[in-house]
């Protein structure tokens, strides 16, 4: 229902109006800053890698690389959990219920603090054994631990930014989090150079630069919300959240956090299968191709993330038809982008991209990396629909179904590593994810159109 109160809070915070007007225009305006933000999120670790390699040498560079899987796990879980909490806030915002919105924010703060403490204890106890389990070479183990342990110790900083950015996106503002992220990324570069080249702090200087830059971006979000978004500032009375809302917040946060964590775990397992092939050139081809594939798919992931907020707000406002249309339009946009990428890669773009990222002239690296991109791009249409269905279900409040899709991905990669990659070689690596995407997409499509809210009065 559109109440006077709902109209009031919709004008707060300078966000995009996702509840009225042209759906495609609103989604694109909201998604473009998310697309740019995804690029800057990836820049943090990339900058650490570049500066460490230049000033500290190959051993330190390998130490950063050895902790990459753990870093992705940290980023994935904190980003997923923060987005999960913000989906509940977006629903309150869309319904026009300011009391519910403020309680959602208060509950998110309490839950976030609790999860941060738990994660700090877990990583304190198990981080070193985890690096050993991942097969980190003995000569770089301690340096790798020195780097990632400092980031893990301050995981609350990483979580705070992702939560605050998620809350701003929940009220339709995706531009301000991007501005602060861009600023902190530049600061990260400056601090990397100062701590490593100037103060000679070694690899922990890179970790410290990351923590400080992320902390400043979180602080800027706090200051902005306090001044310009009073609707997101709870009072003491709002911290009496209630068991039902706490259950919803924890369930939604854990669902998305675990989902992204499971995806990261599947990537680690697949990497083990690639390593088992025993050819460093194939590993280099895969590394290059994966980086380029992430770049090609950033518009798809950004559209999906925008859709989760769009669906959540409109679910709160009771606008079911607007949700159905947004899913249909976003699928068409994703398909259009997928076709453009497919044509580009098929026309020689794949070889150019692999050569650009790898800097190699080795035929095995260039040919296999390009083959990976071309074959995978044939399934980007499926991947785009997969992202949209999963994010739509999250926006509707589904917790288990998106998690099941990640379990399908994990199990599929395990089966490929055990049974298919040993016999098919690198071709098994290439077709692994496209095959899994098809199963995941089918499961998510079925679940979306069988969702009680979508089916009701259809």
């Amino acid at each position: 229902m559109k109440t006077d109160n709902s109209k009031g809070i919709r004008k707060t915070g300078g966000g995009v109006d996702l509840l009225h007007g042209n759906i495609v225009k609103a989604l694109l305006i909201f998604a473009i800053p998310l697309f740019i933000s995804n690029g800057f999120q990836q820049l943090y670790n990339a900058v650490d890698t570049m500066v460490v390699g230049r000033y500290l040498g190959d051993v330190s560079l390998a130490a950063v690389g050895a902790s990459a899987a753990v870093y992705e796990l940290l980023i994935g879980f904190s980003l997923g959990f923060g987005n999960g909490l913000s989906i509940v806030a977006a629903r309150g915002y869309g319904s026009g219920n300011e009391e519910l919105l403020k309680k959602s924010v208060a509950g998110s703060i309490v839950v976030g603090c609790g999860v941060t403490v738990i994660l700090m204890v877990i990583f304190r106890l198990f981080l070193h054994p985890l690096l050993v389990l991942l097969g980190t070479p003995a000569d770089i183990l301690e340096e790798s631990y020195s780097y990632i342990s400092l980031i893990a110790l301050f995981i609350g900083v990483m979580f705070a930014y992702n939560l605050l950015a998620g809350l701003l996106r929940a009220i339709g503002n995706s531009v301000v989090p991007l501005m602060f992220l861009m600023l902190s990324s530049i600061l990260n570069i400056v601090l990397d150079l100062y701590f490593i080249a100037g103060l000679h702090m070694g690899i922990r200087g890179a970790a410290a630069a990351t923590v400080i830059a992320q902390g400043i971006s979180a602080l800027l979000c706090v200051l902005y919300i306090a001044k310009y978004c009073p609707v997101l500032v709870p009072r003491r009375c709002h911290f009496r959240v209630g068991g039902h809302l706490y259950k919803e917040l924890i369930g939604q946060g854990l669902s998305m956090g675990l989902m992204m964590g499971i995806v990261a775990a599947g990537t680690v397992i697949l990497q083990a299968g690639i390593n088992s092939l025993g050819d460093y050139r194939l590993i280099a081809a895969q590394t290059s191709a994966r980086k380029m594939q992430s770049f090609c798919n950033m518009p798809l992931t950004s559209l999906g993330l925008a859709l989760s907020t769009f669906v959540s707000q409109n679910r709160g406002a009771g606008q079911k038809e607007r949700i159905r249309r947004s899913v249909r339009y976003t699928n068409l946009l994703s398909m259009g982008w997928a076709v453009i990428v497919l044509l580009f890669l098929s026309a020689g773009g794949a070889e150019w991209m692999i050569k650009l990222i790898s800097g190699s002239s080795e035929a095995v690296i260039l040919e296999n990396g390009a083959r990976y991109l071309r074959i995978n791009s044939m399934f980007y249409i499926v991947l785009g629909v997969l992202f949209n269905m999963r994010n739509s279900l999250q926006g509707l409040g589904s917790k288990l179904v998106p998690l099941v899709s990640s379990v399908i991905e994990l199990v599929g990669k395990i089966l490929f590593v055990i049974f298919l990659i040993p016999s098919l070689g690198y071709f098994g690596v290439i077709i692994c994810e496209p095959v899994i995407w098809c199963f995941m997409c089918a499961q998510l499509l079925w679940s979306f159109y069988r969702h009680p809210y979508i089916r009701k009065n259809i």
Side-chain angles (χ1 to χ4, degrees), residues 195-207:
F195 289 156
I196 294 175
L199 299 183
H200 306 290
M201 291 175 60
I203 198 169
R204 285 180 74 83

Side-chain angles (χ1 to χ4, degrees), residues 292-303:
M292 287 294 96
Q293 178 158 283
S294 296
F295 176 78
C296 291
N297 289 333
M298 278 170 56
L300 301 181
T301 57
S302 302
L303 279 170

Side-chain angles (χ1 to χ4, degrees), residues 106-416:
S108 296
I109 294 171
V110 174
V111 171
C113 290
V115 169
T116 296
V117 172
I118 293 171
L119 288 176
M120 287 173 62
V121 172
I122 290 175
F123 280 111
R124 178 67 178 173
L125 295 175
F126 300 109
L127 184 57
H128 196 280
L130 177 60
L131 289 173
V132 174
L133 182 64
L134 291 175
T136 307
D139 56 344
I140 62 171
L141 176 61
E142 294 308 319
E143 193 172 13
S144 183
Y145 176 74
S146 174
Y147 171 76
I148 198 65
S149 63
L150 184 59
I151 293 177
L153 179 64
F154 291 95
I155 189 174
V157 172
M158 184 187 300
F159 184 84
Y161 170 75
N162 285 311
L163 173 59
L164 293 166
L167 291 173
L168 283 168
R169 287 193 290 265
I171 62 172
N173 192 332
S174 58
V175 174
V176 167
L178 167 62
M179 292 170 59
F180 295 154
L181 184 60
M182 292 172 65
L183 181 62
S184 65
S185 296
I186 295 171
L187 179 61
N188 185 41
I189 297 172
V190 174
L191 290 176
D192 267 334
L193 294 170
Y194 178 63
F195 289 156
I196 294 175
L199 299 183
H200 306 290
M201 291 175 60
I203 198 169
R204 285 180 74 83
T210 296
V211 169
I212 293 171
Q214 289 177 334
I216 289 177
S217 64
L219 177 61
L220 290 172
C221 284
V222 169
L223 295 175
Y224 181 86
I225 289 172
K227 185 171 183 179
Y228 297 106
C229 305
V231 72
L232 292 177
V233 181
R235 297 188 298 275
R236 181 180 298 180
C237 62
H238 295 119
F239 282 87
R240 294 191 287 271
V241 174
H244 177 75
L245 186 54
Y246 269 131
K247 182 179 178 181
E248 175 71 9
L249 287 165
I250 293 171
Q252 196 72 56
L254 280 177
S255 173
M256 292 190 70
L258 289 174
M259 181 194 76
M260 298 189 76
I262 291 172
V263 169
T267 301
V268 172
I269 290 170
L270 181 59
Q271 186 64 50
I274 298 163
N275 294 345
S276 69
L277 297 176
D279 189 336
Y280 78 91
R281 296 172 300 178
L282 293 178
I283 297 173
Q286 173 73 3
T287 301
S288 302
R290 290 284 296 184
K291 288 183 181 295
M292 287 294 96
Q293 178 158 283
S294 296
F295 176 78
C296 291
N297 289 333
M298 278 170 56
L300 301 181
T301 57
S302 302
L303 279 170
L305 186 58
L307 187 60
S308 67
T309 300
F310 188 99
V311 169
S312 186
Q313 282 196 17
N314 283 275
R315 169 72 190 273
Q319 301 190 115
K320 185 188 304 183
E321 182 56 32
R322 190 170 172 84
I323 291 175
R324 291 199 192 101
R325 290 167 59 199
S326 70
V327 171
R328 184 165 63 249
Y329 295 155
T330 309
N331 281 339
L332 291 173
L333 288 170
S334 298
M335 291 176 184
W337 174 256
V339 170
I340 291 172
V341 173
L342 173 61
L343 294 175
F344 171 74
L345 294 176
S346 300
E351 289 81 0
W352 175 80
M353 293 182 79
I354 297 300
K355 189 171 182 62
L356 176 68
I357 189 66
S358 68
S360 174
S361 57
E362 175 68 54
V364 173
I365 295 175
L366 299 179
E367 290 171 5
N368 282 282
R371 186 161 62 116
Y372 179 97
L373 284 178
R374 284 196 300 269
I375 293 176
N376 273 243
S377 67
M378 297 176 187
F379 295 85
Y380 285 174
I381 288 178
V382 175
L383 183 62
V385 174
L386 186 162
F387 285 151
N388 295 335
M389 292 299 101
R390 183 157 62 187
N391 281 280
S392 297
L393 285 162
Q394 289 165 346
L396 290 171
S398 293
K399 305 174 187 67
L400 183 60
V401 172
L403 192 59
V404 169
S405 73
S406 298
V407 173
I408 292 174
E409 181 175 1
L410 177 63
V411 172
K413 287 180 177 177
I414 292 173
L415 293 176
F416 262 84

